[in-house]
Amino acid sequence: MGSKEAPCRAHAIFCFLLLFCAGTKCLASEFEVTQEASLSVDASPNLARKIPDTLFGMFFEEINHAGAGGIWAELVSNRGFEAGGPHTPSNIDPWSIIGDDSSVFVATDRMSCFSRNTVALRMEVLCENCPDGGVGIYNPGFWGMNIEDGKTYNLVMHVKSPETTELTVSLTSSDGLQILASAAIRVSGTSNWIKLDQSLVAKGTDRTSRLQITANKKGVVWLDQVSLMPSDTYKGHGFRTELISMLMDLKPRFLRFPGGCFVEGSWLRNAFRWRDSIGPWEERPGHYGDVWNYWTDDGLGYYEFLQLSEDLGAAPVWVFNNGISHHDEVDTTAIAPFVKDILDSLEFARGSVESTWGSVRAAMGHPEPFPVKHVAIGNEDCGKKNYHGNYLKFYNAIREAYPDIQMISNCDGSSTPLDHPADLYDFHVYTDSKALFSMRNTFDKTSRSGPKAFVSEYAVTGKDAGRGSLLASLAEAAFLTGLEKNSDIVQMASYAPLFVNDNDQTWNPDAIVFNSWQQYGTPSYWMQKLFSESSGAMIHPITVSSNYSGSLAASAITWHDNDNSFLRVKIVNFGPDAVSLTILTTGIEGSVNTLGCTATVLTSGSVMDENSFINPNKVVPVTVQLRNAAEEMQVTLSPHSFTAFDLALAQSKLVAEM
């Protein structure tokens, strides 16, 4: 209990109103409180339990152009001209021609110097007196390139010309009329391919720019692997800085990658192949993701996902294909090569620089191993004909080679025991808001023996989710309080999907929406921020008493930030009524320091309110000080709200043990 000199009286009653109308605060008289409730927290150290360090993390899938045209900062789409397939001539979309068929002839052929991606582009300039500005090709990127004044963009391309010629590379407006940056490049006549590097400094801003490659002289030039990257990527690792910053703010403890259905493929021939996604970017063949229906150059590959995990300070969770797609399966009797392939992928991540695949990783710039300690054997494949047999082949081989790796089964073990060995099992849930809110107690009756649960995909979907509604975030928050409470059996959890490019809304809703130059978090993103301190915290038993308790969900944790510790009480009011809530905390070793106490609320004027590029902060958490906070206090919760009360605590034995 608190000392007599505590800054707050232990039983002071503090009335704090948390009501918002259309995004603005309301007076108490403007809203009638119709419900009453009490919430008791027992913060005694002997009843506290540590939440797993890995509880809340992220799941990244290449969906909605989350990677290509998203966090991967490459501005050129179809940079190697491979998206049209291996047979030439082929479609070069989204590349287009500058000029007409009397001035320039453009076609793909198989003259590339790269053995794994043999398609290149042959450009023949036909005109003797070419029009001003020349003729050639342009690339609009992913729905327009965001070019900003004063910034540097690094162009790399491979060229070949039998005769010396001059190319002009330019960053222009979408119609080509405004030039933002330009450089002339001399190409020496040779039968060999040469690599050209050119820095372009923008003199102007255009959110829908394009890259042009033009010539004024009659002749032939081959082009391949044309890349344009901004110079200010995150840590120089190729990631779009502002999007990674949003991820960092969530403090993820793990990163599950690269899918999802992206891992499986609609057909195995189009599944993600880690080997094809490593090594020099120019040599990666890329592949067509036939589930989400777009081409990826695989610049964002297996190595980059491992690097991203490290940059985020998150444990990598490698989801690999187990010989099963949506429409075809490898028989267990023929699965051995696939097993070896995955063992090689683990050697790439974890092997020494002397090992075969560890040396490849080291050559890419990372001699230190990546700490891969979690792998998922397939994605949503439980129940498919060959999953059980294939799973055991992978499980036994990995267990023998890497006994410390935790293996994740696709089969749900929350209600019935698994019939095969596993360290964790996947649990996926996509449903409407009422259903997910009702699932907050899902793991209450799950057996505490056997593998742990990995809730690797959860979200509210359907009509009440919109493109990311307040209502969806409230149901999700309630669900997560249940995961905290059951974190003795739930080891990890992640929302899905993480990203959506506004130009490719294949799946809605998502946590983060972006285009070439803007981004915002949906209410589900901001909801997750209020759980960012939960991993590794201490959870306390709570009791909610009310006739309205069917509309409430709550949890209480103690978390530590540098030299400070806090008791955080989170509560979701999923119902339409305001609630007068009494919070009573017992068992605190120390005292409540009002100077550091805050209340943070996520709510809005309508449950279907969403954020947008026009109004990105319509539904975001608002934090205010709790100047007279105490171990017993009275607050008022607005209808349809999620609130976190942080009570600053003096140093205690509980915090010292964390």
Side-chain angles (χ1 to χ4, degrees):
M1 299 298 290
S3 66
K4 293 181 179 179
E5 288 76 27
C8 309
R9 284 192 303 115
H11 299 290
I13 303 297
F14 175 59
C15 187
F16 183 81
L17 182 66
L18 293 171
L19 294 175
F20 290 75
C21 295
T24 61
K25 295 180 182 177
C26 302
L27 298 175
S29 59
E30 295 179 9
F31 211 101
E32 182 181 359
V33 175
T34 58
Q35 302 290 342
E36 294 185 354
S38 64
L39 189 157
S40 299
V41 180
D42 190 337
S44 304
N46 61 314
L47 294 179
R49 173 175 51 78
K50 189 174 186 295
I51 293 174
D53 292 331
T54 57
L55 184 58
F56 293 125
M58 291 175 177
F59 166 45
F60 181 94
E61 177 164 16
E62 181 60 272
I63 181 177
N64 304 322
H65 277 85
I71 65 166
W72 190 242
E74 173 63 65
L75 294 174
V76 177
S77 177
N78 189 19
R79 66 185 178 192
F81 308 101
E82 304 287 336
H87 303 294
T88 58
S90 57
N91 190 355
I92 62 172
D93 186 69
W95 293 90
S96 293
I97 296 172
I98 300 170
D100 56 30
D101 56 10
S102 67
S103 59
V104 63
F105 181 82
V106 174
T108 55
D109 62 22
R110 298 174 63 84
M111 294 290 289
S112 175
C113 60
F114 301 109
S115 60
R116 290 200 294 171
N117 43 14
T118 58
V119 175
L121 187 77
R122 181 182 183 274
M123 182 174 78
E124 182 177 1
V125 177
L126 304 174
C127 49
E128 292 284 359
N129 297 305
C130 296
D132 291 343
V135 296
I137 57 173
Y138 73 86
N139 188 289
F142 300 89
W143 301 282
M145 299 179 180
N146 178 37
I147 302 300
E148 298 184 340
D149 186 39
K151 287 193 174 182
T152 300
Y153 299 85
N154 300 320
L155 175 70
V156 179
M157 61 182 184
H158 295 75
V159 299
K160 182 180 73 167
S161 179
E163 298 180 358
T164 298
T165 190
E166 186 174 279
L167 297 176
T168 299
V169 293
S170 308
L171 300 177
T172 76
S173 56
S174 59
D175 57 9
L177 298 179
Q178 179 187 2
I179 298 176
L180 305 175
S182 185
I185 300 178
R186 184 175 183 272
V187 180
S188 299
T190 176
S191 60
N192 297 321
W193 285 88
I194 58 175
K195 181 178 180 180
L196 299 176
D197 297 86
Q198 178 67 50
S199 293
L200 298 169
V201 180
K203 299 185 183 302
T205 295
D206 193 308
R207 308 300 187 184
T208 57
S209 302
R210 71 189 199 186
L211 169 68
Q212 294 188 171
I213 305 173
T214 57
N216 286 286
K217 179 182 176 182
K218 190 173 183 178
V220 177
V221 62
W222 278 266
L223 301 165
D224 199 8
Q225 297 301 327
V226 181
S227 171
L228 183 70
M229 293 280 278
S231 63
D232 60 349
T233 63
Y234 188 77
K235 292 188 176 183
H237 291 156
F239 303 109
R240 185 168 152 181
T241 300
E242 64 274 21
L243 295 181
I244 300 304
S245 295
M246 291 189 71
L247 302 187
M248 293 290 289
D249 287 345
L250 293 183
K251 302 178 182 178
R253 295 302 184 93
F254 65 84
L255 178 68
R256 178 179 184 248
F257 66 86
C261 297
F262 180 73
V263 168
E264 300 168 274
S266 186
W267 297 92
L268 279 171
R269 62 178 174 268
N270 293 318
F272 178 78
R273 304 282 181 168
W274 75 271
R275 290 176 193 260
D276 289 340
S277 75
I278 63 169
W281 60 267
E282 300 98 328
E283 299 177 9
R284 302 181 189 184
H287 79 287
Y288 180 73
D290 62 352
V291 175
W292 307 122
N293 299 314
Y294 60 90
W295 174 266
T296 60
D297 290 314
D298 288 333
L300 177 59
Y302 181 50
Y303 174 87
E304 286 74 23
F305 282 116
L306 293 169
Q307 183 65 69
L308 178 59
S309 300
E310 181 176 277
D311 289 348
L312 294 172
V317 181
W318 164 219
V319 184
F320 61 77
N321 187 290
N322 70 107
I324 297 175
S325 76
H326 287 185
H327 293 103
D328 57 344
E329 302 182 29
V330 176
D331 191 270
T332 301
T333 59
I335 201 65
F338 290 78
V339 174
K340 183 182 183 304
D341 181 62
I342 295 308
L343 292 176
D344 289 344
S345 78
L346 294 173
E347 182 178 281
F348 175 87
R350 296 182 35 150
S352 71
V353 295
E354 287 81 24
S355 65
T356 300
W357 288 104
S359 65
V360 176
R361 181 198 68 242
M364 293 182 69
H366 204 286
E368 302 82 7
F370 289 107
V372 176
K373 295 185 178 179
H374 294 84
V375 297
I377 304 175
N379 174 74
E380 296 181 347
D381 291 328
C382 186
K384 294 182 179 177
K385 177 183 176 182
N386 294 323
Y387 182 70
H388 190 273
N390 291 2
Y391 174 91
L392 290 175
K393 292 290 187 179
F394 284 100
Y395 180 93
N396 292 332
I398 295 171
R399 180 63 80 221
E400 180 178 355
Y402 301 96
D404 64 319
I405 287 183
Q406 300 281 289
M407 281 174 276
I408 305 161
S409 168
N410 290 176
C411 300
D412 177 14
S414 61
S415 56
T416 57
L418 300 183
D419 62 356
H420 53 271
D423 299 294
L424 299 101
Y425 57 84
D426 263 329
F427 184 95
H428 294 182
V429 56
Y430 296 100
T431 187
D432 62 72
S433 59
K434 289 183 179 179
L436 191 63
F437 181 83
S438 69
M439 292 178 67
R440 62 194 183 281
N441 300 318
T442 292
F443 291 94
D444 286 4
K445 297 181 180 180
T446 296
S447 171
R448 265 45 190 173
S449 61
K452 305 287 188 180
F454 181 9
V455 184
S456 55
E457 299 181 31
Y458 74 86
V460 169
T461 55
K463 293 182 179 179
D464 55 359
R467 291 200 62 198
S469 67
L470 170 66
L471 184 62
S473 70
L474 298 181
E476 291 156 1
F479 180 66
L480 294 193
T481 64
L483 300 190
E484 287 181 316
K485 181 178 65 173
N486 287 289
S487 58
D488 58 325
I489 188 63
V490 179
Q491 190 81 10
M492 311 165 88
S494 49
Y495 178 92
L498 185 58
F499 284 111
V500 60
N501 187 311
D502 191 53
N503 298 283
D504 180 19
Q505 301 169 31
T506 301
W507 184 292
N508 286 308
D510 309 86
I512 298 171
V513 184
F514 65 90
N515 57 25
S516 70
W517 63 285
Q518 296 169 296
Q519 60 282 324
Y520 66 84
T522 63
S524 294
Y525 169 85
W526 294 108
M527 174 278 298
Q528 291 178 70
K529 280 204 72 174
L530 297 182
F531 286 88
S532 63
E533 310 297 348
S534 295
S535 299
M538 304 297 288
I539 189 163
H540 306 289
I542 64 167
T543 302
V544 177
S545 299
S546 175
N547 293 330
Y548 194 64
S549 59
S551 295
L552 303 175
S555 67
I557 64 169
T558 298
W559 62 279
H560 191 52
D561 180 18
N562 297 324
D563 295 328
N564 302 308
S565 59
F566 300 86
L567 174 69
R568 173 172 291 181
V569 178
K570 298 190 293 290
I571 184 161
V572 176
N573 179 5
F574 194 64
D577 299 334
V579 179
S580 176
L581 175 69
T582 300
I583 300 176
L584 175 62
T585 304
T586 60
I588 293 177
E589 289 195 342
S591 58
V592 176
N593 180 357
T594 55
L595 295 178
C597 297
T598 61
T600 303
V601 63
L602 180 67
T603 190
S604 193
S606 167
V607 293
M608 293 308 296
D609 279 350
E610 302 176 358
N611 294 329
S612 64
F613 290 125
I614 296 174
N615 192 353
N617 297 317
K618 185 173 186 177
V619 189
V620 298
V622 176
T623 300
V624 296
Q625 273 195 299
L626 281 172
R627 297 185 182 279
N628 297 312
E631 292 172 37
E632 184 176 345
M633 60 185 184
Q634 186 175 339
V635 297
T636 301
L637 305 175
S638 67
H640 302 298
S641 63
F642 176 35
T643 308
F645 300 96
D646 278 305
L647 304 185
L649 305 176
Q651 187 72 16
S652 66
K653 179 181 178 182
L654 175 63
V655 174
E657 291 177 347
M658 289 176 62

